[in-house]
Amino acid sequence: MISFDQFQMQDGSPIYQQIIEFVERGIIAGTIVSGDEMPSRRVLSALLGVNPNTIQKAYKFLEDDGIIESRSGAKSYVTANSKMQKQLRTKLLTQDVAVMVQNMKQMGISREEAVSLIKTAWKDEVKK
Amino acid sequence: MISFDQFQMQDGSPIYQQIIEFVERGIIAGTIVSGDEMPSRRVLSALLGVNPNTIQKAYKFLEDDGIIESRSGAKSYVTANSKMQKQLRTKLLTQDVAVMVQNMKQMGISREEAVSLIKTAWKDEVKK
Amino acid sequence: MISFDQFQMQDGSPIYQQIIEFVERGIIAGTIVSGDEMPSRRVLSALLGVNPNTIQKAYKFLEDDGIIESRSGAKSYVTANSKMQKQLRTKLLTQDVAVMVQNMKQMGISREEAVSLIKTAWKDEVKK
Amino acid sequence: MISFDQFQMQDGSPIYQQIIEFVERGIIAGTIVSGDEMPSRRVLSALLGVNPNTIQKAYKFLEDDGIIESRSGAKSYVTANSKMQKQLRTKLLTQDVAVMVQNMKQMGISREEAVSLIKTAWKDEVKK
DNA sequence: GTGGTCTAGACCACC
DNA sequence: GTGGTCTAGACCACG
């Protein structure tokens, strides 16, 4: 049974997307693996204090992307294999990085300065 | 007259915000400077194929932030000074970088790999 | 003892219905005949990796339709006679064909093309 | 504006799927083409006497499959080009036919009989 | 108990 | 006006 203890809702993006990303990043990090059991919609709904429909929406998306598998009446399980893990990793990473690089170029930032900013931000994150 | 040739709409964030950011990043890069004339709302609306209300909203935000100023009829001019430029620069940069670093940490990416990814993406951007 | 080796679960329709149809189509084909012994509910449950309740539901339907009969303890036997076989044949066939023809008409497919598609699909099925 | 006059709800399959299929088959038949305007969620909701959420679900699916395009605040439009039309056509057809052929083989029906059944059903459909 | 669908109605951001 | 998200609560089929 995968744990949602580390999950914390934030404002700004839809709840169902936050749940999707939580699972996706968990898979990338290796803390969620194929065969793991998902909490039932009702249980997770109660756990997060969120409407069951919102959970259903997130699960549906994950199912459509082949990350989990659901059958009516039965529990839901993670099905993401290592190939998917790599795909997810690449997808999210390149997406994040590309956006940032594009923005920086538009601002006339040099490559060296960009790298320097990353390193600084990295340290600040650690301190938190 | 500042040019919107380089502007390209994307999905995911509101159009009016994309316009605001486009101007802000131009100011940071120095391609847009104080005194430059903004296109009229009608012209920009037609140019981008976007509802006039959307343009109006973007201009309103830019005005409220002291980045542009409406003078003599419908014409608007850029008023951002060097102090603003620095403020904008800091605001946008730290914001961009912080989001990316946080995501990467969540995925278990090392600092070295992060830097490497930036460098790769940088080259790819150049090729375009 | 009738064999479920050829049975393979699919998504989209309930498992218990797939079991029912498997038996019915076997009877039509003549591979399942009156007097054949059905596997016990427990055995079939284990064999297909399916919840015992699901098997029970399928057997109940088959019993209600007079296709199988539970005698002497837990054992069940096929009771379908030749009259039933013909009824089943007509029921399933007309049902299958009618649905397909209706869909095709809705898509503007001609009768000739329909026949051609059947012939092609037939060959592909053989190759498997 | 595409018309839902011909649409009539049926029991057995979810409403939102019926809407999806209605649009898909319309595209295949050529009665719905790229650039057509979709009715707004609210309008269609009222027209069909169905909850707006149900409509939203159908539209979301169509959007995910690239058949329509939606932007917040703006109307929704059909974007399916001729390539998609062919893909849809092939997808739905092969799917329908494959299922039927597989069933018939399981019942021990010969190819000739299958073709004959199709032809008969075709005539019956016409008479209706 | 579990997944899936649906209704009724609300709120927000966007155009 | 339009699309998108969310809540509250219900019903059904499935296992």
Side-chain angles (χ1 to χ4, degrees), chain B residues 110-125:
Chain B
S110 72
R111 202 192 69 172
E112 286 70 27
E113 190 175 2
V115 170
S116 166
L117 282 164
I118 299 291
K119 290 182 178 172
T120 306
W122 210 272
K123 284 183 199 156
D124 294 347
E125 219 12 67

Side-chain angles (χ1 to χ4, degrees), chain A residues 50-102:
Chain A
V50 163
N51 189 287
N53 284 332
T54 306
I55 308 291
Q56 165 65 8
K57 204 171 194 172
Y59 276 36
K60 179 66 164 45
F61 185 98
L62 289 169
E63 202 193 342
D64 286 350
D65 274 20
I67 293 172
I68 68 172
E69 220 168 49
S70 300
R71 264 216 320 275
S72 190
K75 296 183 179 177
S76 301
Y77 296 91
V78 176
T79 56
N81 54 29
S82 66
K83 190 184 163 193
M84 267 183 193
Q85 184 186 357
K86 285 180 190 164
Q87 283 179 347
L88 270 180
R89 185 190 159 95
T90 306
K91 194 191 82 181
L92 289 183
L93 274 181
T94 51
Q95 180 183 309
D96 287 356
V97 173
V99 167
M100 205 202 64
V101 167
Q102 195 181 358

Side-chain angles (χ1 to χ4, degrees), chain B residues 13-122:
Chain B
S13 65
I15 298 175
Y16 78 90
Q17 268 197 5
Q18 294 182 41
I19 295 172
I20 293 170
E21 286 204 3
F22 179 80
V23 173
E24 288 182 344
R25 294 190 197 280
I27 287 171
I28 293 170
T31 56
I32 297 176
V33 298
S34 184
D36 282 354
E37 186 184 339
M38 296 287 290
S40 85
R41 288 155 173 81
R42 291 182 192 174
V43 166
L44 189 53
S45 163
L47 189 65
L48 304 184
V50 161
N51 190 296
N53 287 333
T54 308
I55 306 292
Q56 168 57 22
K57 195 167 190 173
Y59 277 40
K60 178 69 163 48
F61 268 81
L62 288 169
E63 269 179 20
D64 289 350
D65 281 11
I67 293 170
I68 67 172
E69 205 169 69
S70 293
R71 284 202 307 250
S72 59
K75 291 194 177 178
S76 302
Y77 296 88
V78 176
T79 56
N81 56 31
S82 68
K83 189 186 166 194
M84 267 183 189
Q85 185 185 356
K86 285 183 190 165
Q87 283 178 347
L88 278 177
R89 185 187 159 95
T90 306
K91 192 191 81 180
L92 288 183
L93 273 181
T94 51
Q95 177 185 310
D96 287 354
V97 173
V99 168
M100 206 203 62
V101 168
Q102 196 180 358
N103 285 343
M104 287 191 159
K105 294 216 158 183
Q106 210 173 340
M107 288 189 268
I109 310 293
S110 72
R111 202 192 69 172
E112 286 70 27
E113 190 175 2
V115 170
S116 166
L117 282 164
I118 299 291
K119 290 182 178 172
T120 306
W122 210 272

